[in-house]
Amino acid sequence: MATQAEFLSTTRWGKKAGIVAIAASACLMSVVGSHVTAPASTSQSPVLHGVFTVAKWGDDKADKAAKDTKGKNEANLDPGSLYTIESAIGARTVWQRLDSQKRQITGQGVTVALLDSGTAAVPGLESAGKLTYGPDLSIEGNGSLTDQDTFGHGTHMAGIIAARDAATLTAKTISKLDPSVQLGVAPDAGLLSLKLATTDGSTDVSQVIAALDWVTEHQTSQNGSKVRVVNLSFGTDSVQSYQLDPLAAAAENAWRHGLVVVVSGGNDGNGFGRLTNPALDPYVIAVGASDNNHTVAGWAKPTVAAFSNGGTAARHVDLLAPGTSVASLRAPGSNVDVNHPEGLVSGDTTGRLFRGSGTSQAAAVVSGSVALLLQAYPNLTPDQVKALLTSSATPVAASALYAGAGQLNIDAALSAVAKSGSGSAWKGIGGKDARAATQAFATSTGQGSINAARGGNVLLDANGVALDGEVDVQGQPWRSTDWWNAASSLHAWSGGQWLGTTWTGPGWAPAAANGLQSARWSSARWSSARWSDADWSSARWSSARWSSARWSSARWSDHTWG
């Protein structure tokens, strides 16, 4: 049976083999061949794909380590809390610095585009100006679920990147903050959320390409802030050359137009031997996950997480970032939330937190860090950012095939820029000053197969028919030359049309009268009837139970979302 694409291959959602919704939202269990059943409303057991030893929600060992004598979760004891991770990579030290405008370096003025399953405006993400919704390019964008994170993955990433509880952030107060206050790596960065995945985490490569094209052509958000970073915790098993692959070309095109594209490297394990697509493109920042071995002190001498993809001498992850047992924001009522109660952080009296492991989380840590770097030094190019992060990383006792340059150290990266700018002999990639760092790999123009880019992960429609061949998700013929000419010249999108077919509304929706509602791109139904609201009427979401059960043939692979 054909498998379907999803957002999970780089996220680990479960601390033990147990019930999962469907293989795609699923989560990869810690025991190979563990029995997995679907919810009672699903008529068949899911078809599993690959080796399920990488990635999970929840971690009972981390939960235990994080509890005080009364059983309450304490962020300063939690090896996966944002407080602990940010301290380990130097982010909280960076916050105490000032940029050239005398502002704390907390991501101010930088927006991170999050291409994922949507983002829920939960506490920590609900403040005015924090969250902007770009076009919903998911199949659910054709119905009543527009912009809602029905899967739960995107909200978790958003919390890591830029969660912001109410707190005063000054040089004097930052070191005295209660560790339980939820602050992402770049707490004052903005988020531009593009929803690509549905309730079960499904999406097609063409939707991801369309989203990358949209962000590349819309680098100024509605509020005037600049999009500088793209977080893509997603990957497929494509084995065609990155120079031919259209997904890799779309990511590289965004990079060449000034966006720092951060991609998860995959959760297939150290021995897998290659990165997922588009992390395989050597221009983007490919991120692997480091492991603290369930202790706060473990971040001082981290190891490579067992689930993190190993690569080759020609292409491996560029660096590691904390990606194990990460406690971030929960999307109540989402697929992951309902079907993975083991992900709830034990002892968390607020009920806000969910724990997950994967290169997805690691990529989000890097994206937040890039936002800090770009606030401090806004003129850095994507190549310079990559040079700084890799040259300043903390060495890890492992081969570069698995660890890249080592673990992210954003404090060291900023210090390196300061020294370089003041005439220091600090050198970047290849012995060159980071200010002159330029990558010179062969370029991608995406003239290969879009079907090969799927890597065997294809959508099934409501009738069980596979989306297969050289077509996009709407069934339009894929003409690689026409696409590349349009995308590379920033003309792939016109209003709500991508390559001449309607995908979304024509522009930003009118702002709410009170100014507090998140800005949103207008919506419109797709031209294609295949994914109409009528066809997907059984995929209604309830916070009480998951009810998208009519998809007996819609089984999902475990090798796509980071």
Side-chain angles (χ1 to χ4, degrees):
M1 177 178 289
T3 55
Q4 298 189 338
E6 44 108 17
F7 265 86
L8 263 187
S9 66
T10 51
T11 295
R12 189 172 185 167
W13 314 93
K15 63 188 177 185
K16 56 186 178 181
I19 297 177
V20 294
I22 43 185
S25 67
C27 299
L28 316 177
M29 297 299 117
S30 58
V31 179
V32 177
S34 294
H35 175 65
V36 181
T37 58
S41 54
T42 303
S43 60
Q44 300 177 21
S45 297
V47 175
L48 301 182
H49 171 78
V51 179
F52 304 103
T53 56
V54 293
K56 69 177 183 181
W57 287 116
D59 188 330
D60 51 359
K61 290 183 179 179
D63 282 347
K64 183 177 180 180
K67 290 180 180 177
D68 63 15
T69 57
K70 296 182 180 179
K72 180 183 177 183
N73 174 274
E74 295 289 350
N76 60 313
L77 301 177
D78 191 332
S81 71
L82 294 181
Y83 171 83
T84 297
I85 289 171
E86 290 155 1
S87 299
I89 64 171
R92 292 197 168 223
T93 301
V94 169
W95 297 353
Q96 298 180 58
R97 301 187 187 189
L98 299 177
D99 66 10
S100 61
Q101 300 179 46
K102 306 301 180 184
R103 302 176 300 175
Q104 303 300 141
I105 300 176
T106 52
Q108 298 180 63
V110 179
T111 292
V112 178
L114 179 58
L115 278 54
D116 213 288
S117 61
T119 305
V122 296
L125 298 173
E126 62 182 358
S127 60
K130 167 60 71 178
L131 181 59
T132 298
Y133 291 99
D136 183 337
L137 303 181
S138 74
I139 292 169
E140 289 176 348
N142 285 301
S144 61
L145 302 177
T146 301
D147 294 330
Q148 297 181 42
D149 186 6
T150 53
F151 186 40
H153 187 274
T155 302
H156 204 257
M157 302 305 110
I160 295 168
I161 296 168
R164 178 65 151 95
D165 279 356
T168 300
L169 300 183
T170 68
K172 291 183 178 180
T173 63
I174 288 170
S175 62
K176 300 176 182 177
L177 289 171
D178 183 340
S180 67
V181 174
Q182 293 303 303
L183 298 168
V185 176
D188 286 324
L191 290 166
L192 173 63
S193 174
L194 272 73
K195 178 178 175 177
L196 308 183
T198 54
T199 297
D200 42 29
S202 63
T203 195
D204 181 60
V205 161
S206 62
Q207 292 164 278
V208 182
I209 294 172
L212 285 164
D213 287 353
W214 190 92
V215 173
T216 304
E217 295 182 26
H218 297 81
Q219 295 189 28
T220 301
S221 194
Q222 188 191 38
N223 62 7
S225 65
K226 297 294 184 181
V227 178
R228 300 295 309 277
V229 189
V230 176
N231 187 90
L232 186 57
S233 293
F234 172 88
T236 76
D237 288 337
S238 174
V239 295
Q240 69 182 330
S241 165
Y242 81 87
Q243 294 170 252
L244 297 175
D245 193 279
L247 176 57
E252 187 179 314
N253 187 51
W255 185 276
R256 291 184 176 280
H257 284 93
L259 296 171
V260 180
V261 182
V262 181
V263 185
S264 52
N267 278 1
D268 299 288
N270 298 171
F272 192 63
R274 70 174 188 271
L275 304 186
T276 53
N277 179 34
L280 52 79
D281 189 293
Y283 280 92
V284 303
I285 299 176
V287 185
S290 53
D291 192 341
N292 57 19
N293 297 304
H294 300 104
T295 68
V296 171
W299 290 124
K301 291 185 177 181
T303 58
V304 180
F307 56 77
S308 189
N309 276 30
T312 65
R315 184 53 174 155
H316 47 69
V317 295
D318 294 299
L319 77 169
L320 304 175
T324 51
S325 309
V326 181
S328 182
L329 298 179
R330 165 186 171 228
S334 65
N335 187 333
V336 167
D337 183 53
V338 170
N339 288 284
H340 291 281
E342 70 273 20
L344 291 169
V345 174
S346 180
D348 168 32
T349 58
T350 70
R352 299 171 61 194
L353 302 180
F354 214 76
R355 195 184 298 282
S357 300
T359 56
S360 280
Q361 283 79 0
V365 171
V366 172
S367 290
S369 298
V370 173
L372 299 178
L373 186 57
L374 289 173
Q375 179 196 333
Y377 299 100
N379 293 326
L380 290 172
T381 67
D383 284 357
Q384 290 169 342
V385 167
K386 184 174 180 178
L388 286 160
L389 295 184
T390 53
S391 296
S392 60
T394 302
V396 172
S399 166
L401 298 183
Y402 314 113
Q407 180 169 275
L408 171 71
N409 186 333
I410 190 58
D411 182 34
L414 265 79
S415 296
V417 185
K419 292 177 182 177
S420 182
S422 62
S424 165
W426 178 85
K427 300 296 180 181
I429 286 178
K432 298 179 180 179
D433 191 310
R435 291 170 294 179
T438 302
Q439 299 187 97
F441 301 106
T443 60
S444 175
T445 56
Q447 298 304 292
S449 164
I450 193 170
N451 206 43
R454 294 180 175 115
N457 308 122
V458 297
L459 286 171
L460 304 179
D461 65 18
N463 297 314
V465 178
L467 174 64
D468 205 3
E470 299 304 307
V471 295
D472 68 21
V473 72
Q474 295 207 47
Q476 297 296 317
W478 180 254
R479 299 182 175 91
S480 58
T481 300
D482 292 347
W483 164 73
W484 179 246
N485 289 339
S488 60
S489 63
L490 305 182
H491 290 98
W493 280 92
S494 177
Q497 292 192 333
W498 184 56
L499 304 178
T501 300
T502 298
W503 280 61
T504 187
W508 293 105
N514 60 13
L516 296 179
Q517 182 176 316
S518 298
R520 294 176 184 270
W521 190 264
S522 59
S523 62
R525 293 184 182 275
W526 288 1
S527 303
S528 172
R530 182 177 186 180
W531 311 107
S532 70
D533 188 44
D535 287 339
W536 286 71
S537 60
S538 63
R540 294 290 180 248
W541 187 255
S542 163
S543 61
R545 64 185 293 270
W546 181 50
S547 57
S548 59
R550 299 296 183 266
W551 307 105
S552 59
S553 62
R555 303 305 182 208
W556 315 90
S557 83
D558 64 308
H559 287 292
T560 328
W561 284 103

